[in-house]
Amino acid sequence: MRIFWKRAAAGLLALAMCLSFAGCYDENKTWAARRGDDVLPIGGYIYYLYSAYSANQVDSDTAVLDATVEDQEASEWIRNRAMDYLRSYYYMDEKFDEYGLEITEEDQNEIDASTNSVWSYYQDTFETLGIAKESFDQAYTQYNLKYEKVMTAMYGEGGELEMPESEMETYFTDNYYDYEYFYASMSKTDEDGNSVELSDEERQDMLDQLNNYVEEINSGETTLETAANDFAYLMVRDSTYNAPGPSQPDSISQDLREAIESLDEGEAGLAESSSGYYVVRRLPIADAYETVVANENDRYTLLAAMKSEEFNDYVIEQSASLEGIELNQEAIDSIRLSSMVTDSNRNGTVSAASSTSSTTEESSSSQV
């Protein structure tokens, strides 16, 4: 699995809550919810509240807590969304067990490494809010691990949302390009180590050489990778070869994307940008699909691109009717939304021009 995190030292939650909110230790307020033996610390709820605050989609000219979101006062919307996240946490836990899934040793190792990495960036923010490392791990990192495994199982063979393989293949071939390329800059490094523009003559010589590579690649005399390495040798530069890799069009620079779209599969071409040239070859996307689905991580990435919004909605809808969740309302009500506000996040982050078209359907799994 890819981006997940592990639990750390117990006891930090109570201390953080004492310092940040209560001024003293109150054991009755150390947990937010429980279902069976699974207890979510209050820090986990605070994290969900902070995630909901961050997902508000309020325009940048308006204070978040003064705004209206989806025809609700922002404060009400944020608390409702935090509860959606909390119920989703327990729903995912139930489905994880129902499908007989497990956390492998490899999963756990990645959880450990990723938790420490993320915590190094967010520790001060989260601990100030009252979120201990263990709570963050439980509410976000372990949740996300289960989210990935459950989503894969539910859309897989025999799952309640089973999806035909042909649907995934059609989506991939319709929405991705596979290509390889190398880049040739219009500048060079002089004897003093400074970057200088190529002369007109040097630029024309380079352009002639690149066009020659394109002809040789299309005739089968050479490969694009060999051409890239040869060019690097001639120009006394490091190779800029980029190996094949499928990408969605929006993630490709405009110059490169337009070149790819102008080519037939298997054909090479030349594209110019403001600072250099690309020698690019468009590859058969059907071949790339076989490689993608053979890799567990790549297959999940594709599934998430297809179905994440639909799945987020499904999880929230299904978790709304989940029974057996006991809420510690006293602890939940003790968390003030004003504690989420800083000078940097007081206002929304959406420009006024785009706020009307933005969606607020964000999963807690996408919030850090």
Side-chain angles (χ1 to χ4, degrees):
M1 319 307 290
R2 297 182 326 282
I3 49 168
F4 303 110
W5 300 273
K6 198 215 179 223
R7 66 178 60 196
L12 289 177
L13 171 63
L15 177 60
M17 286 299 299
C18 178
L19 294 175
S20 300
F21 294 102
C24 59
Y25 179 73
D26 185 346
E27 187 171 353
N28 290 330
K29 295 182 180 180
T30 62
W31 63 280
R34 61 187 171 204
R35 188 171 187 260
D37 295 330
D38 191 340
V39 178
L40 182 71
I42 191 62
Y45 172 74
I46 297 170
Y47 173 73
Y48 290 149
L49 203 63
Y50 181 75
S51 296
Y53 181 94
S54 302
N56 59 77
Q57 296 297 311
V58 172
D59 73 73
S60 57
D61 295 328
T62 305
V64 172
L65 296 185
D66 293 336
T68 298
V69 180
E70 295 182 346
D71 298 323
Q72 300 177 31
E73 291 184 2
S75 57
E76 180 182 2
W77 184 93
I78 290 167
R79 288 192 179 277
N80 288 342
R81 181 47 54 100
M83 290 306 300
D84 287 341
Y85 294 162
L86 184 151
R87 287 190 292 267
S88 296
Y89 164 84
Y90 282 112
Y91 175 80
M92 207 58 61
D93 194 57
E94 178 173 273
K95 287 296 180 179
F96 190 84
D97 292 340
E98 180 182 319
Y99 279 90
L101 302 171
E102 61 180 14
I103 298 174
T104 67
E105 183 177 353
E106 180 181 0
D107 295 332
Q108 195 64 56
N109 289 338
E110 293 197 17
I111 285 171
D112 293 343
S114 298
T115 293
N116 291 332
S117 176
V118 172
W119 195 252
S120 68
Y121 287 100
Y122 291 95
Q123 179 175 357
D124 289 345
T125 297
F126 286 166
E127 287 187 339
T128 298
L129 289 170
I131 304 168
K133 189 175 184 180
E134 182 183 49
S135 300
F136 172 74
D137 164 75
Q138 185 174 338
Y140 178 79
T141 61
Q142 292 188 38
Y143 172 85
N144 274 281
L145 172 64
K146 294 179 179 180
Y147 181 98
E148 178 172 326
K149 287 178 175 279
V150 168
M151 184 178 182
T152 300
M154 291 178 72
Y155 281 103
E157 184 177 357
E160 61 195 74
L161 301 175
E162 182 176 354
M163 177 180 61
E165 187 73 20
S166 59
E167 183 179 342
M168 180 177 282
E169 183 172 7
T170 298
Y171 178 88
F172 181 79
T173 56
D174 287 349
N175 291 278
Y176 286 76
Y177 296 135
D178 192 27
Y179 60 99
E180 58 180 343
Y181 72 93
F182 72 90
Y183 178 71
S185 175
M186 293 181 191
S187 63
K188 64 179 181 179
T189 302
D190 66 16
E191 294 178 354
D192 297 324
N194 299 314
S195 179
V196 296
E197 293 295 314
L198 297 179
S199 67
D200 290 344
E201 182 179 358
E202 289 173 325
R203 179 171 172 176
Q204 186 59 55
D205 287 343
M206 184 177 75
L207 184 58
D208 291 342
Q209 181 63 52
L210 296 177
N211 278 313
N212 184 60
Y213 286 139
V214 170
E215 292 179 6
E216 291 181 349
I217 293 167
N218 286 331
S219 67
E221 295 177 51
T222 190
T223 65
L224 192 142
E225 183 176 9
T226 299
N229 293 335
D230 183 67
F231 177 76
Y233 176 78
L234 291 175
M235 302 296 290
V236 195
R237 300 175 176 177
D238 293 333
S239 176
T240 57
Y241 175 69
N242 279 259
S247 300
Q248 292 181 301
D250 289 347
S251 67
I252 307 171
S253 68
Q254 182 177 347
D255 297 322
L256 189 54
R257 182 177 69 248
E258 289 177 353
I260 294 168
E261 291 171 345
S262 71
L263 298 170
D264 294 328
E265 289 189 346
E267 183 183 8
L270 188 65
E272 182 177 355
S273 72
S274 60
S275 58
Y277 298 94
Y278 296 98
V279 175
V280 57
R281 179 170 174 257
R282 183 173 182 172
L283 301 172
I285 193 63
D287 294 346
Y289 176 74
E290 297 302 325
T291 301
V292 166
V293 295
N295 180 282
E296 180 182 356
N297 288 339
D298 291 343
R299 184 184 180 90
Y300 172 74
T301 299
L302 175 59
L303 175 62
M306 292 179 63
K307 298 293 186 179
S308 60
E309 184 174 349
E310 172 188 296
F311 189 61
N312 290 340
D313 291 343
Y314 183 81
V315 168
I316 289 175
E317 177 186 348
Q318 295 298 309
S319 65
S321 59
L322 189 65
E323 298 180 350
I325 300 175
E326 178 186 354
L327 298 178
N328 184 351
Q329 202 63 52
E330 180 183 4
I332 288 171
D333 291 343
S334 72
I335 309 304
R336 303 184 306 274
L337 282 178
S338 59
S339 67
M340 308 285 152
V341 181
T342 65
D343 289 340
S344 62
N345 72 2
R346 187 176 307 278
N347 286 6
T349 58
V350 180
S351 65
S354 61
S355 61
T356 57
S357 61
S358 298
T359 177
T360 55
E361 291 306 312
E362 306 239 359
S363 165
S364 61
S365 67
S366 66
Q367 301 299 318
V368 175

